[in-house]
Amino acid sequence: LSQVRTAIAHGAPEPLRRLDAEFENAKAAWAASIADADADALAGSALTLLYYCDARGRFDEGLDLLGAALAAAPPGAPPHFAPLLAAALAHMAYRLDRYAEAIAEAGRALAASRSQRHHDTRLQALKVLGCAHLQLGHYEKAGRWLRRVLAQSPPEVDPHN
């Protein structure tokens, strides 16, 4: 999964179609990585899984797969493992309109990522916090979180996306 992350993140049709065809194998590999306590494989593939499930509307599956990996976090996992998976899990909860759960999970991810400075984790958590608060009508909070997203995003990021 990690090999096609950028293409999947940008919605490239061909990699998405290939992953459509191979998704059962990808899920089996994900389960094997959990069983083998392969934290590097799980962390390396987590965002690809998030982007794919998001692009294809497979939010329940994404929530289940990411949740299983987070629940089985290997003892020797790198420090960014749990916050990264929590941020991805928060996004899936957000997409399922489970805003309180999304906010709680994103808050945990953000707090746990402070010492690691893991950019992808922080941005994902901040986006979920901003968007979930926006959906709940907490406009001031949403604005604060989303301004932090913009401040930490690379210059080439479209601020309207």
Side-chain angles (χ1 to χ4, degrees), residues 55-120:
R56 293 304 197 219
R58 299 177 93 149
F59 311 125
D60 287 310
E61 279 179 289
L63 191 75
D64 290 345
L65 292 165
L66 292 161
L70 186 58
H80 71 277
F81 178 85
L84 174 64
L85 267 70
L89 192 66
H91 181 84
M92 289 291 110
Y94 165 77
R95 296 292 277 169
L96 289 165
D97 300 331
R98 292 158 58 173
Y99 304 124
E101 181 182 340
I103 288 168
E105 205 64 58
R108 281 191 285 277
L110 190 59
S113 71
R114 281 195 176 100
S115 63
Q116 283 85 45
R117 299 280 183 211
H118 194 263
H119 188 72
D120 290 334

Side-chain angles (χ1 to χ4, degrees), residues 110 114 125-127 129-131 133 140-150:
L110 190 59
R114 281 195 176 100
L126 290 168
K127 287 188 289 186
L129 287 164
C131 292
H133 280 293
E140 286 183 37
K141 283 184 183 179
R144 283 194 303 269
W145 291 118
L146 294 172
R147 280 190 291 280
R148 287 180 65 186
V149 170
L150 289 173

